[in-house]
Amino acid sequence: MKQSSCTVTILGSGTSHGVPVIACICPVCRSKNPKNHRSRASALVRGAEDEVILFDTAPEFRLQALREGISHIDAVFYTHAHADHLHGLDDLRPLSFNGPIPLYGSAETMDEIRRRFSYIFSSGQEGGGKPKVLLKPIGPGDHITIGSLEVIPIPLLHGYLPVFGYRIGPFAYLTDCSTIPESSYELLAGIRYVVIDALRPEPHPTHFSFGQALEAVRKIGAEKAWFTHLTHDVDHEDIRRMLPTGVEPAWDGLSFRVDIHNGFG
């Protein structure tokens, strides 16, 4: 069976406020440990054929792209249209000089992008330019091929809001969720590596708590998991000590390799 690989990099691992939180003087916000500095949640995947795809464009995307040396983007896959996952979209401008970048997501997310960034799609003075993008609505059951990467949307619930996670081979990116529908667990069969929403130890109405995320990891059967969308409630090292073997808190800049068997179930 043909095999390829990709590299996953966590661009941001923080909740909607980011960490440090504005005006907060808690120990985590004042921490000197760089792993406690959490920009808003997003991730980068580099494929074996030099494909580069994003999951979301966080408000800090410009800084994340400079840090990781991103020089081109082949596609962006949006989980949903909340500000902390979308509002870095305008910083795609310099990456779209050579042609429009396809943006994938639910029809609702594409409609929200068109409404919130209406200047991109209307005629008028160019000024500093506009990002060149193509809106590509997708739905459950779709398989999107970007070079050697096959991306599958995974329906999740963020409170009562339908959102998407995404699967590439044995890797899944499941941020901003409080429920994984039973039908989506079927789509996650064979997942070995998962980055999963885990806001804090205590329950929350729209995000997994640490305990709920651990239960989801167990049910998925992943051998390695990283918690993302973390608040300032818990220090990185304290989180690491409280988690079982095979589960860690993500951090900005974390990178790991995933081997992909083409034609996975």
Side-chain angles (χ1 to χ4, degrees), residues 171-227:
F171 164 69
Y173 184 73
L174 310 176
T175 191
D176 282 48
C177 59
S178 54
T179 303
I180 301 177
E182 286 301 318
S183 56
S184 291
Y185 278 108
E186 297 174 12
L187 296 174
L188 293 167
I191 287 295
R192 297 173 58 204
Y193 311 98
V194 61
V195 174
I196 191 166
D197 181 18
L199 189 74
R200 63 189 189 190
E202 296 77 25
H204 188 277
T206 63
H207 293 272
F208 278 149
S209 67
F210 288 4
Q212 291 167 326
L214 286 173
E215 175 58 24
V217 170
R218 182 202 63 78
K219 190 168 181 178
I220 292 168
E223 63 190 55
K224 185 68 178 176
W226 294 268
F227 285 180

Side-chain angles (χ1 to χ4, degrees), residues 64-85:
Q64 295 168 342
L66 289 170
R67 185 190 74 215
E68 299 301 332
I70 297 173
S71 59
H72 73 280
I73 295 291
D74 294 296
V76 183
F77 289 83
Y78 284 100
T79 59
H80 63 302
H82 282 170
D84 54 319
H85 296 263

Side-chain angles (χ1 to χ4, degrees), residues 47-248:
E49 299 173 4
D50 198 32
E51 313 92 329
V52 179
I53 68 171
L54 290 177
F55 295 130
D56 294 334
T57 49
E60 295 92 346
F61 173 64
R62 174 180 170 275
L63 299 177
Q64 295 168 342
L66 289 170
R67 185 190 74 215
E68 299 301 332
I70 297 173
S71 59
H72 73 280
I73 295 291
D74 294 296
V76 183
F77 289 83
Y78 284 100
T79 59
H80 63 302
H82 282 170
D84 54 319
H85 296 263
L86 175 58
H87 279 191
L89 188 153
D90 189 76
D91 285 322
L92 294 174
R93 279 187 294 160
L95 297 166
S96 66
F97 287 157
N98 294 325
I101 298 171
L103 310 181
Y104 294 91
S106 69
E108 293 78 11
T109 296
M110 297 296 102
D111 288 344
E112 187 63 21
I113 289 173
R114 186 179 292 277
R115 185 186 71 82
R116 208 176 300 172
F117 294 86
S118 58
Y119 67 90
I120 295 176
F121 307 99
S122 61
S123 59
Q125 181 172 305
E126 285 291 327
K130 305 173 183 178
K132 298 179 178 66
V133 298
L134 297 173
L135 300 182
K136 300 277 192 177
I138 56 175
D142 288 345
H143 290 221
I144 302 91
T145 300
I146 308 292
S148 67
L149 303 175
E150 184 180 52
V151 185
I152 300 174
I154 308 293
L156 308 169
L157 287 174
H158 181 23
Y160 59 80
L161 177 70
V163 302
F164 279 153
Y166 290 99
R167 173 177 186 158
I168 298 175
F171 164 69
Y173 184 73
L174 310 176
T175 191
D176 282 48
C177 59
S178 54
T179 303
I180 301 177
E182 286 301 318
S183 56
S184 291
Y185 278 108
E186 297 174 12
L187 296 174
L188 293 167
I191 287 295
R192 297 173 58 204
Y193 311 98
V194 61
V195 174
I196 191 166
D197 181 18
L199 189 74
R200 63 189 189 190
E202 296 77 25
H204 188 277
T206 63
H207 293 272
F208 278 149
S209 67
F210 288 4
Q212 291 167 326
L214 286 173
E215 175 58 24
V217 170
R218 182 202 63 78
K219 190 168 181 178
I220 292 168
E223 63 190 55
K224 185 68 178 176
W226 294 268
F227 285 180
T228 195
H229 215 280
L230 297 161
T231 70
H232 64 152
D233 293 343
V234 188
D235 177 88
H236 178 90
E237 291 303 321
D238 290 342
I239 300 171
R240 188 178 59 80
R241 283 189 287 268
M242 70 174 65
L243 295 178
T245 301
V247 184
E248 297 181 40

